[in-house]
C-alpha cells in the first residue's frame, strides 16, 4: 500500500477536477504569457499540466504571465514524470477492482405469479431476480450493444425450454399463460454470479442546485460477502473520509421510508439535534441513502448544516453522510455503471417522485454511497446484514481490527424492519435512541420502554398499537399470528433496556444530548479506566460537564496518576473551561502537569489549525523575523515575541522531580497559570484566559499584563483586518476593567495594601509594576483608579502633607520649614523627623523638584531673552551668551539622565513612553543652539547665529507648555493641541492640492512668459496662502504698467514685444479662479477643519480627568528620578553619579541591591488580592442570579423538572398524566353500570391544554335504541334540567359533599382487569356520570398550572391515602409531612421559596379536580370573566348533553 499512500498524498493536494477537460482546452496555446517555453507543448498537455496545479500555484498564474520569461504554468511542472492525481486515480481504480465484486443474474426464469406485479407484455416479464430480460447482464451496459450481440447473450440467458416463449423479438407480444410455460428451476446460488465491480467513482447530481455549492459524492458497488476491512481501507486511504477530522461517533439512522412524514416542529427538532450532534463530534451519519422517508429528512438536515473545509488544496465535507443502499433498488442505476475504469463524474438525476414497488432515486445530500449488490433487483433487501456488520466493525476496538468509534442507532418512525434493526443493534451492544412521537415503530418501542420494569405491562394495549400500526392490510384471523413475532422482538429489545434511551420529540429537550446520554448509559456498566476515559472524551466533545460530574467522576472511581493528562490537554485546546476546572478538582495539579514539553505541544497543536484566531500569531512572528513560516513556532520564538510585546519577559522553568528524566521538555513551569494565560491571550482564547487569570496569582498585575499584551498585539494587526483588531481591543478593555474592579475592591477593604499592590514589582511578571505596564498599555482607566491616584499622589509629594501653595512659599522662605504647623510632613514609618531629615525630605520630593525646576527655567528664559534682545554682539561672544549655552547643556544632560532612569525595562520602552514629541524637539533645539554658538566665532556668520538663536527662543518658550501638565484644567488642553496638530497635518495635505492648483494656474495666466527664478516658487505659494486668510492682493493682479513702459522704451520693436511678454498682465480668468479657490478654501475646508477640531475637543473633554491623571503618572515618574539639584546646578550631581558608576564597575566592591518586599510580604499581598478577587466574582455571580432573565430561565427549568417527575416518577406504571386520569376513573372511583357505561376515549386537542372526554361513534342499531330512549325520557329530562344545572353550577353542592370514598376492601391497582368494584348507589352513579361528562372538569397538567394556589383539606388528603395515590412519592413531590393537616402550595418567585415551588402538583380526588378547575385561572382572569361564567357553564352542559 505504500504506492497507494504516495499517490493519494498527491491526490489530496488537488481540488476535485472535472471529468472532462476544460472547454478552453483548444485555446491554451494562446496568451500563455511571459517568455517562450524551451520545448513546445501541445494544448492538451498544457491544459493537463495546468489542471494539476494546486490552488496556491494557480493563485499566482496571472501575475507570472505579466513577467517576462515566466508563464502561467511554472516551467518545472512540464518535466514531471507523471501527474500525481492521475496516478492516484489509477491506483484507486485498481484497488476497487481487485477487492470488490458485483453480482449479476445469468439465467432468466420468469417469476411465479403473485411474487411480482402483474404485466401484460413479454418484455415486461421479470426474472426470479426481479429484473426484466433487457436489463440482464450483457444486454445493456455503458456502451450500446448491437442486436446480434444481444441475441448471442440471450442464447445463454434464456433456458432452452423457455426460448419458444421468451425472446427479444417477442418482447411486445402478450405474455403466455403461466400454466403453459414449462417448469424451469432457478437457484440464486447458480444463477447469480460475481465479477469485478464496474460501478464506482463519483456522482454529480446535475438537477440539484445547492446554495453553498456541491461537491460530487463518492460511490462504490460491492457484494455482501466482500471484506469490511477492505471497505474501511478504501474509505480511509482512498476516499480520505477521515479528513478534516477523525470522527468521534457514528450515528446510524433507521426508520420509515415511504410512509414517514414529520411535521414542522418535529422535523426542525430532529434536524437541529442531529446536525448539532454530528458537528460536535465530527460524526459519520449512516442512512439508506434514498430520497424518501427518514433518509430524505436526514439529507435535508445535512443540506442545511453542510459546509466545507480547506486543507492545503483539498476541499472536504464537514458533515459526512454515508448511504448504504441496495444496488437493485436504486433508480436509474445504469448511469452509475462504467467500463471498468470508473466514472468521474457520473451524471445522475434525482427525483421526488416515489412509485409503489418501483426503485427509488438517491438523495443528493449524501457525501458517500456504498451500494450492496446481492444480485436481486427492484426490491429492498440484502443490505441490513451488511450494514450491521459494518457498524459492528466500526465500533470494535482498533486492537481487534476495528476503528474504535462508538455507534448509536436512532429510530425515527419506521416499519417492522426498524424494530429488527433495533434488536440487532442491541444484541451487538449498540445503544439505541428511540424518537417517541414520530409514529409506528418508534412509538411502539417508546410505549414498551415506558411500561417495562423487569416485566412488560400493558401487553394487550401494546398488541393493539402494533396492529394499528401494521395491521391495516392484515386479515382478521392473521392479526394475532403476525403480532406475536413483533412482540417477541420488542421483548428482546427490552431485555437490554439499559442500552436504550426514550427521547420525546414533544418535550423541550435536545436530541444531541439524548445521543450523549445513550452513549454514556451504554458504557455505564464498564468499570475500566479506559472506558471511563472514552466516556469523558464524549462528554468533553459535547461540552456536558454536568454529565461528567455526575456519571463519570464518581466517588468510587479511582484514577491513576497521569491518566487525565491527555483529557486536560484536549480541554485546554478546546477551551472547555468547566472541564478544566472539573479535572483539576480530581487531584490533577497544574504545576506538575504543565512542563516545557506540554507547553510547546499546546502551541504546536493550536497553530496547526488555519483559523483566523491563530493565524495572526504566526504572522506577527514572521513580521518580526522570529521565524521563516507561520508553522515554525518554537519556545525561543515565544520568548522573543513576548519581549517585543511586554518589553521584558522571563520564562520561569524549574528542574523536574527526581523520578523524571532530566531532559529539557520535562522542566516544570514555576508559574503554570501564567503560561496558560499567555497561551490563551496569544491565541485569543478569552474564556481560557479568564480562567487562568482567576486560578493564577497576582490578579491585578496579571490583568494589566494581559491588557498590555493585547494592546501590543493590536498595533501589529494589519489595517485591513479591522474586525480582528477591534476584537483584540475589546478583550484588552475587558481585562483592564477586571483589574480596576479588583483594585477598587481591595481599596475598599484596605487602601494601604491596595497602594502596595499598585507599587509592587511583580516577581511573576519579570519585576515589572502594574503602574509601568498600565502606562505602556495606555490603560487610562486603571491609572485613574483611586488606588493608583493615591499612590501617584503620595509619590508626587513624598512625605509632604501641606498643599502646593505652602511648598511654593517655602521655596522663597526656607525658614518656614522649621514650623511644623505650617509645613506638615508625613513620617513615612519613622518615629519622627529631625531638621536634616525634614529638609532632605522636602527638597527630594518630586513636587519640590518640579517647583524648583519651573522657577529656575523662568530665570533661564529671562536671561536668554535679555541675551537675544540686548546682549547679543555681532562681533564677539558675550559672557551671558556663554552662560546660556552652558545652561542649555545642563538641560540636555538632565534629560538624558531622566531618560536612562525612567521606569521602563528597555531602552526602546523608555523612548516610547517618555521621550515624546516635545523631548525630540528639545534635543533638536539643544543641537541647534550648540551649532549657533560655534558659528558665532566667525563674524561673517553672525546673522545665521541670530536666526538660530531666535528659533531656539521659540522652542524654549513652547517648552513652558510641559509645566501645564500639573494642572487639571490645562493638562487635557495640551492633549487637545497635540491631537489637533495631527489633524491639522492631514488638513494641510488636502489644502495643498487646491493651493497648488490655483497658484500655478493663476501665475501661468498672469505671465505670458517667465525667466527661471526662485520668485516663481514664492509667487505660487505666497499669494494663494495669504489670500486664504483674507489678503486678496487684487492690486497685484492688475497689469504692471512700469514693466510695460520700460519695454516700450526699447528701440527694437521685436525685442520690445518680447520683453512685454515677461511683464505681468491682467487676465479675466484669474478672478474666476480666485473666487472658486476662496469658496473651497474659506468656506469648505476651513469649516471642515473647525468641525474636526470640535470633535477632538468633545472627545477629550469627556475623558479630561482620566487624561490628566494619566499624564500625572509620567510627570511624577520624571521628577521622581531627577536629582534634587536643578539645572544648571544638577551638573555637579550628574558628575558625581558618573564617577560613582565608574567606581562600582571597575572596583571589586559591589553594592548590595535591596528588595522592595520580602517573600513573606509578597505572599501576604497575593492572598489579600486573591481574596478580594474571589469576593468580586462572588458578588458578580450573585447579581447575575438576580436578573429577570436568570429567574425566568430558572423557573422554566424547574417547571420542566417537575413535569418530568410527575410523568416518570409519580405515575411510572401509567402512560403519563392523561392515562392516569382515565385509569383513576375506571379503577379507583368505580365503573358505571352496564346500562349506563360508555366507552370513553381520551382525545388530546392540539390547540388546548385540556383533555376532553368524547363518545365513540355508534352503529345504526344503537342509534335507533338511543332515539327511542330519548323520546321516553324527554319529558322527565326537561323537568330535571333546571335542578341539575343548579347542582352543577354550585361547586359546593351536596353531590360532591357525599362520601364517595370507595369500600376499604377495594385496593388500588394499575391493572383495571383485576379490580372488582362494589355496587354503587344511583345517586353516586348519576353524580359521577354528570361529573365525567363535564369537559371543563379536567385540565392537563402543564407548566402554566404549576404555580397556582391549591388547598387540600383533610378530607382530600384522606381520600388520596385510601385510594393509594398519596404514597411516599406523592408526599415527596408535594412536600407534605407524614402527619395529616392542611396543605397549601403557594406560588413564589423569590429565591427563598423556590425549592418548594417545584413540588407543586395537582391532586387526584374528584373534589380536588373540581376545585382545581375553578382555581385554574389567575386572579385577574377571574375578575374579567366573572360576568361570563354562568354562560360558559350553560354552554358546557349543553355540549355534553
Amino acid at each position: 500500500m505504500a504506492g497507494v499512500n504516495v499517490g493519494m498524498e498527491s491526490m489530496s493536494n488537488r481540488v476535485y477536477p472535472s471529468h472532462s477537460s476544460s472547454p478552453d482546452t483548444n485555446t491554451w496555446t494562446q496568451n500563455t504569457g511571459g517568455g517562450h517555453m524551451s520545448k513546445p507543448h501541445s494544448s492538451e498537455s498544457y491544459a493537463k499540466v495546468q489542471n494539476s496545479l494546486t490552488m496556491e500555484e494557480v493563485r499566482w498564474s496571472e501575475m507570472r504571465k505579466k513577467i517576462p520569461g515566466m508563464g502561467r504554468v511554472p516551467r518545472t511542472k512540464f518535466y514531471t514524470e507523471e501527474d500525481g492525481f492521475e496516478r492516484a486515480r489509477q491506483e484507486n481504480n485498481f484497488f476497487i477492482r481487485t477487492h470488490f465484486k458485483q453480482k449479476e443474474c445469468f439465467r432468466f426464469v420468469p417469476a411465479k405469479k403473485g411474487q411480482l406485479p402483474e404485466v401484460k407484455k413479454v418484455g415486461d416479464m421479470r426474472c426470479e431476480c426481479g429484473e426484466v430480460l433487457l436489463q440482464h447482464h450483457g444486454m445493456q451496459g455503458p456502451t450500446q450493444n448491437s442486436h446480434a450481440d444481444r441475441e448471442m447473450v440471450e442464447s445463454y440467458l434464456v433456458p432452452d425450454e423457455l426460448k419458444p416463449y421468451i425472446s427479444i423479438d417477442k418482447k411486445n407480444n402478450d405474455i403466455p399463460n403461466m400454466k403453459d410455460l414449462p417448469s424451469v428451476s432457478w437457484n440464486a446460488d447458480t444463477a447469480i454470479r460475481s465479477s469485478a465491480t464496474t460501478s464506482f467513482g463519483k456522482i454529480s447530481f446535475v438537477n440539484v442546485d445547492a446554495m453553498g455549492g456541491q461537491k460530487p459524492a463518492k460511490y462504490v458497488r460491492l457484494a455482501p460477502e466482500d471484506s469490511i476491512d477492505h471497505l474501511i481501507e478504501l474509505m480511509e486511504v482512498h476516499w480520505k473520509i477521515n479528513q478534516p477530522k477523525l470522527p468521534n461517533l457514528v450515528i446510524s439512522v433507521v426508520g420509515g421510508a415511504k410512509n414517514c412524514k414529520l411535521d414542522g416542529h418535529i422535523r426542525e427538532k430532529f434536524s437541529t439535534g442531529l446536525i448539532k450532534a454530528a458537528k460536535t463530534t465530527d460524526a459519520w451519519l449512516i442512512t439508506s441513502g434514498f430520497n424518501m422517508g427518514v433518509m430524505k429528512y436526514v439529507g435535508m438536515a445535512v443540506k442545511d448544516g453542510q459546509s466545507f473545509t480547506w486543507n492545503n488544496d483539498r476541499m472536504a465535507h464537514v458533515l459526512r453522510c454515508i448511504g448504504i443502499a441496495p444496488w437493485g433498488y436504486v433508480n436509474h442505476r445504469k448511469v452509475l455503471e462504467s467500463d471498468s475504469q470508473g466514472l468521474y463524474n457520473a451524471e445522475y438525476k434525482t427525483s421526488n417522485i416515489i412509485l409503489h414497488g418501483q426503485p427509488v432515486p438517491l438523495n443528493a445530500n449524501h457525501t458517500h454511497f456504498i451500494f450492496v449488490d446481492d444480485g436481486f433487483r427492484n426490491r429492498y433487501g440484502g443490505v441490513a446484514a451488511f450494514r450491521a456488520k459494518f457498524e459492528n466493525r466500526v465500533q470494535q476496538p482498533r486492537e481487534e481490527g476495528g476503528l474504535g468509534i462508538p455507534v448509536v442507532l436512532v429510530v425515527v418512525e419506521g416499519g417492522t424492519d426498524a424494530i429488527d434493526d433495533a434488536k440487532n443493534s442491541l444484541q451487538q451492544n449498540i445503544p439505541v435512541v428511540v424518537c417517541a412521537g414520530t409514529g409506528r415503530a418508534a412509538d411502539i418501542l417508546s410505549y414498551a420502554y415506558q411500561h417495562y420494569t423487569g416485566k412488560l405491562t400493558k401487553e394487550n394495549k401494546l398488541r393493539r398499537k402494533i396492529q394499528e400500526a401494521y395491521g391495516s392490510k392484515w386479515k382478521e384471523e392473521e392479526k394475532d399470528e403476525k403480532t406475536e413475532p413483533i412482540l417477541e422482538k420488542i421483548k428482546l429489545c427490552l431485555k437490554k433496556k439499559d442500552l436504550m434511551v426514550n427521547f420525546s420529540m414533544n418535550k423541550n429537550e435536545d436530541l444531541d444530548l439524548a445521543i450523549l446520554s445513550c452513549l454514556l448509559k451504554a458504557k455505564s456498566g464498564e468499570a475500566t479506566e479506559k472506558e471511563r476515559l472514552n466516556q469523558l472524551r464524549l462528554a468533553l466533545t459535547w461540552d456536558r460537564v454536568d454529565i461528567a460530574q455526575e456519571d463519570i467522576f464518581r466517588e468510587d472511581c479511582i484514577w491513576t496518576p497521569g491518566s487525565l493528562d491527555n483529557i486536560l490537554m484536549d480541554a485546554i485546546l478546546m477551551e472547555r473551561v468547566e472541564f478544566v476546572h472539573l479535572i483539576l478538582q480530581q487531584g490533577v495539579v497544574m504545576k506538575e502537569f504543565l512542563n516545557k514539553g506540554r507547553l510547546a505541544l499546546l502551541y504546536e497543536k493550536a497553530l496547526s489549525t488555519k483559523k483566523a484566531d491563530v493565524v495572526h500569531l504566526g504572522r506577527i512572528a514572521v513580521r518580526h523575523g522570529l521565524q521563516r513560516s507561520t508553522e515554525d513556532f518554537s519556545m525561543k520564538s515565544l520568548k522573543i515575541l513576548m519581549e517585543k510585546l511586554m518589553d521584558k519577559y522571563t520564562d520561569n522553568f524549574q528542574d523536574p522531580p527526581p523520578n523524571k528524566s532530566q531532559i529539557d521538555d520535562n522542566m516544570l513551569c514555576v508559574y503554570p497559570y501564567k503560561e496558560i494565560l499567555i497561551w490563551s491571550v496569544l491565541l485569543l482564547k478569552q474564556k481560557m484566559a479568564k480562567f487562568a487569570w482567576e486560578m493564577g496569582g497576582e490578579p491585578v498585575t496579571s490583568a494589566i499584563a494581559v491588557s498590555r499584551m493585547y494592546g501590543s498585539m493590536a498595533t501589529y494587526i494589519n489595517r485591513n483586518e479591522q474586525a480582528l483588531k477591534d476584537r483584540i481591543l475589546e478583550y484588552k478593555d475587558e481585562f483592564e476593567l477586571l483589574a480596576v474592579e479588583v483594585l477598587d475592591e481591595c481599596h475598599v477593604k484596605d487602601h494601604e495594601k491596595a497602594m502596595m499592590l499598585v507599587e509592587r514589582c511583580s516577581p511573576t511578571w519579570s519585576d515589572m509594576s502594574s503602574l509601568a505596564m498600565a502606562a505602556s498599555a495606555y490603560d487610562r482607566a486603571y491609572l485613574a483608579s483611586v488606588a493608583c491616584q493615591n499612590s501617584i499622589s503620595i509619590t508626587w509629594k513624598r512625605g509632604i502633607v501641606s498643599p502646593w501653595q505652602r511648598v511654593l512659599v517655602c521655596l522663597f522662605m526656607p525658614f518656614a520649614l522649621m514650623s511644623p504647623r505650617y509645613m506638615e510632613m508625613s513620617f513615612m514609618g519613622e518615629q519622627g523627623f529631625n531638621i536634616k531629615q525634614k529638609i532632605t525630605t522636602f527638597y527630594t520630593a518630586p513636587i519640590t523638584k518640579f517647583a524648583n525646576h519651573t522657577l529656575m527655567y523662568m530665570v533661564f528664559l529671562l536671561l536668554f531673552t535679555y541675551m537675544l534682545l540686548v546682549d547679543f554682539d555681532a562681533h564677539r561672544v558675550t559672557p551671558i551668551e556663554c552662560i546660556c549655552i552652558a545652561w542649555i547643556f545642563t538641560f540636555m544632560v538632565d534629560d538624558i539622565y531622566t531618560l536612562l532612569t525612567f521606569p521602563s525595562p528597555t531602552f526602546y520602552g523608555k523612548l516610547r513612553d517618555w521621550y515624546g514629541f516635545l523631548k525630540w524637539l528639545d534635543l533638536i533645539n539643544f543641537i541647534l543652539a550648540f551649532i549657533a554658538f560655534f558659528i558665532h566665532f566667525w563674524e561673517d556668520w553672525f546673522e545665521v547665529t541670530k536666526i538660530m538663536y531666535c528659533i531656539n527662543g521659540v522652542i524654549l518658550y513652547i517648552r513652558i507648555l510641559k509645566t501645564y501638565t500639573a494642572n487639571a484644567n490645562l493638562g487635557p488642553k495640551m492633549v487637545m493641541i497635540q491631537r489637533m496638530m495631527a489633524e491639522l497635518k492631514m488638513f494641510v495635505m488636502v489644502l495643498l492640492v487646491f493651493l497648488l492648483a490655483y497658484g500655478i494656474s493663476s501665475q501661468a495666466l498672469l505671465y505670458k512668459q517667465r525667466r527661471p527664478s526662485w520668485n516663481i516658487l514664492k509667487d505660487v505659494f505666497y499669494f494663494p496662502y495669504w489670500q486664504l486668510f483674507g489678503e486678496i492682493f487684487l492690486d497685484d493682479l492688475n497689469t504692471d504698467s512700469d514693466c510695460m513702459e520700460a519695454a516700450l522704451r526699447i528701440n527694437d520693436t521685436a525685442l520690445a514685444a518680447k520683453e512685454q511678454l515677461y511683464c505681468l498682465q491682467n487676465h479675466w480668468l484669474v478672478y474666476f479662479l480666485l473666487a472658486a479657490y476662496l469658496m473651497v478654501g474659506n468656506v469648505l475646508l476651513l469649516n471642515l477643519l473647525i468641525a474636526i477640531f470640535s470633535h477632538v475637543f468633545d472627545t477629550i473633554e469627556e475623558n479630561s480627568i482620566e487624561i490628566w491623571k494619566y499624564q500625572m503618572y509620567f510627570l511624577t515618574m520624571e521628577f521622581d528620578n531627577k536629582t534634587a539639584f536643578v539645572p544648571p546646578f544638577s551638573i555637579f550631581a550628574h558628575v558625581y553619579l558618573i564617577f560613582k558608576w565608574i567606581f562600582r564597575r571597575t572596583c571589586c566592591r559591589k553594592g548590595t541591591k535591596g528588595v522592595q518586599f520580602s517573600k513573606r510580604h509578597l505572599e501576604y499581598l497575593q492572598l489579600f488580592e486573591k481574596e478580594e478577587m474571589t469576593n468580586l466574582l462572588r458578588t458578580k455571580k450573585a447579581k447575575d442570579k438576580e436578573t429577570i432573565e436568570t429567574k425566568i430561565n430558572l423557573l422554566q427549568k424547574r417547571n420542566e423538572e417537575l413535569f418530568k417527575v410527575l410523568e416518570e416518577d409519580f405515575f411510572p406504571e401509567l402512560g403519563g398524566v392523561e392515562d392516569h386520569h382515565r385509569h383513576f376513573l375506571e379503577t379507583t372511583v368505580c365503573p358505571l353500570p352496564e346500562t349506563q357505561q360508555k366507552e370513553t376515549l381520551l382525545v388530546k386537542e392540539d390547540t388546548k391544554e385540556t383533555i376532553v372526554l368524547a363518545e365513540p361513534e355508534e352503529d345504526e342499531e344503537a342509534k335507533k335504541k338511543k332515539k327511542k330512549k330519548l323520546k321516553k325520557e324527554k319529558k322527565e329530562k326537561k323537568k330535571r334540567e333546571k335542578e341539575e344545572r343548579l347542582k352543577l353550577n354550585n361547586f359546593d353542592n351536596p353531590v360532591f359533599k357525599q362520601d364517595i370514598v370507595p369500600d376499604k376492601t377495594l385496593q388500588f391497582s394499575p391493572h383495571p382487569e383485576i379490580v372488582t368494584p362494589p355496587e354503587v348507589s344511583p345517586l353516586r352513579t348519576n353524580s359521577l356520570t354528570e361529573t365525567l361528562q363535564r369537559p371543563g372538569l379536567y385540565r392537563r397538567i402543564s407548566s402554566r398550572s404549576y404555580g397556582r394556589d391549591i388547598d387540600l383539606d383533610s378530607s382530600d388528603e384522606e381520600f388520596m391515602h385510601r385510594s393509594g395515590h398519596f404514597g411516599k412519592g406523592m408526599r415527596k413531590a408535594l412536600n407534605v409531612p407524614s402527619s395529616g393537616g392542611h396543605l397549601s402550595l403557594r406560588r413564589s418567585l423569590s429565591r427563598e421559596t423556590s425549592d418548594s415551588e417545584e413540588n407543586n402538583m395537582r391532586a387526584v380526588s374528584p373534589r380536588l379536580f373540581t376545585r382545581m378547575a375553578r382555581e385554574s385561572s389567575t386572579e385577574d382572569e377571574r375578575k374579567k370573566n366573572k360576568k361570563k361564567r354562568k354562560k360558559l357553564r350553560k354552554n358546557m352542559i349543553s355540549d355534553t348533553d
Side-chain angles (χ1 to χ4, degrees), residues 1202 1346-1347 1373-1374 1385-1387 1396-1401:
L1202 178 58
Y1346 291 157
L1374 290 174
L1385 303 177
R1386 298 291 180 184
R1387 182 180 183 179
S1396 63
E1397 177 189 346
E1398 65 183 89
N1399 298 321
N1400 291 352
M1401 63 169 293

Side-chain angles (χ1 to χ4, degrees), residues 506-574:
N506 294 316
K507 292 184 180 179
N508 189 19
E509 297 176 357
D510 296 328
L511 179 60
D512 59 313
L513 301 184
I515 295 175
L516 173 61
S517 302
C518 186
L519 288 171
L520 298 182
K521 189 176 180 181
K523 298 178 180 296
S524 60
E526 303 288 344
T528 62
E529 186 177 271
K530 183 178 179 181
E531 293 295 335
R532 293 200 305 263
L533 288 174
N534 291 334
Q535 294 179 18
L536 188 57
R537 285 191 178 90
L538 289 174
L540 176 64
T541 304
W542 253 283
D543 195 15
R544 289 305 302 249
V545 69
D546 53 342
I547 296 178
Q549 187 171 8
E550 295 174 2
D551 300 335
I552 301 176
F553 289 113
R554 301 189 302 270
E555 295 181 357
D556 57 340
C557 295
I558 300 176
W559 302 88
T560 59
S563 60
L564 297 175
D565 289 349
N566 293 332
I567 300 294
L568 180 57
M569 179 76 74
D570 294 339
I572 294 174
L573 286 169
M574 298 170 68

Side-chain angles (χ1 to χ4, degrees), residues 1383-1400:
L1383 173 65
S1384 178
L1385 303 177
R1386 298 291 180 184
R1387 182 180 183 179
S1388 174
L1389 286 177
S1390 63
R1391 186 174 56 187
E1392 292 80 4
T1393 61
S1394 60
D1395 293 336
S1396 63
E1397 177 189 346
E1398 65 183 89
N1399 298 321
N1400 291 352

Side-chain angles (χ1 to χ4, degrees), residues 151 156 302 408 430 452 529 767 800 881 912 1252 1332 1418:
E151 289 182 349
Y156 69 83
V302 171
V408 173
I430 294 177
Y452 183 81
E529 186 177 271
D767 294 329
I800 300 176
E881 183 179 355
R912 181 194 61 236
V1252 182
L1332 293 178
T1418 61

Side-chain angles (χ1 to χ4, degrees), residues 334-387:
K334 290 298 181 180
V335 300
L336 303 178
E337 296 179 356
S338 68
D339 54 353
S340 75
Q341 295 300 320
L343 290 179
Y344 302 90
N345 297 336
E347 297 183 354
Y348 187 89
K349 291 184 178 182
T350 186
S351 173
N352 292 324
I353 301 175
I354 309 298
L355 300 177
H356 181 71
Q358 297 296 325
V360 182
L362 299 175
N363 184 264
N365 298 309
H366 286 62
T367 60
H368 302 79
F369 288 96
I370 300 172
F371 298 118
V372 181
D373 186 7
D374 60 351
F376 291 91
R377 301 294 182 261
N378 298 315
R379 70 176 183 87
Y380 187 91
V383 72
F386 183 85
R387 180 171 174 177

Side-chain angles (χ1 to χ4, degrees), residues 579-647:
F579 267 94
V580 176
H581 191 270
L582 180 62
I583 294 173
L584 293 178
Q585 290 179 351
Q586 309 307 314
V588 180
V589 181
M590 184 63 75
K591 197 169 185 178
E592 298 176 359
F593 163 78
L594 191 64
N595 52 33
K596 191 173 182 180
R598 284 200 176 100
L599 183 62
L601 186 61
L602 280 175
Y603 281 100
E604 179 183 351
K605 288 186 175 181
L607 292 174
S608 62
T609 61
K610 297 297 182 181
K611 294 182 179 179
D613 294 346
V614 300
V615 171
H616 70 279
L617 180 59
R619 291 178 180 174
I620 294 174
V622 172
R623 189 177 304 172
H624 288 284
L626 306 181
Q627 57 191 45
R628 295 181 179 179
S629 63
T630 56
E631 291 82 6
D632 186 19
F633 192 85
S634 61
M635 298 303 296
K636 183 178 179 181
S637 301
L638 173 65
K639 183 177 180 180
I640 300 175
L641 178 61
M642 287 300 298
E643 290 177 352
K644 294 282 187 181
L645 299 178
M646 296 286 294
D647 294 335

Side-chain angles (χ1 to χ4, degrees), residues 1162-1225:
L1162 291 174
E1163 292 177 353
Y1164 187 86
L1165 288 175
Q1166 185 170 349
L1167 289 175
F1168 170 70
E1169 62 177 328
K1170 285 282 288 183
E1171 177 189 0
E1172 298 309 316
M1173 180 199 69
T1174 305
N1175 294 336
L1176 174 66
L1177 297 177
R1178 191 181 297 117
T1179 304
K1180 281 187 172 183
K1181 189 175 181 180
K1183 288 182 178 179
D1184 292 339
K1185 289 183 178 181
E1186 295 297 327
T1187 59
I1188 299 298
E1189 292 80 3
T1190 305
K1191 287 184 177 181
I1192 293 175
N1193 294 334
L1194 182 62
L1195 182 60
Q1196 182 181 3
K1197 183 179 179 181
R1198 287 174 176 171
N1199 287 341
E1200 293 173 358
E1201 292 175 354
L1202 178 58
F1203 189 77
K1204 188 175 181 180
V1205 168
L1206 289 175
E1207 286 199 337
E1208 297 180 1
D1209 296 341
F1210 184 58
F1211 306 123
E1213 73 283 357
L1214 301 175
V1217 179
E1218 298 90 341
D1219 287 349
H1220 168 72
H1221 281 228
R1222 180 182 178 185
H1223 182 73
F1224 169 78
L1225 296 174

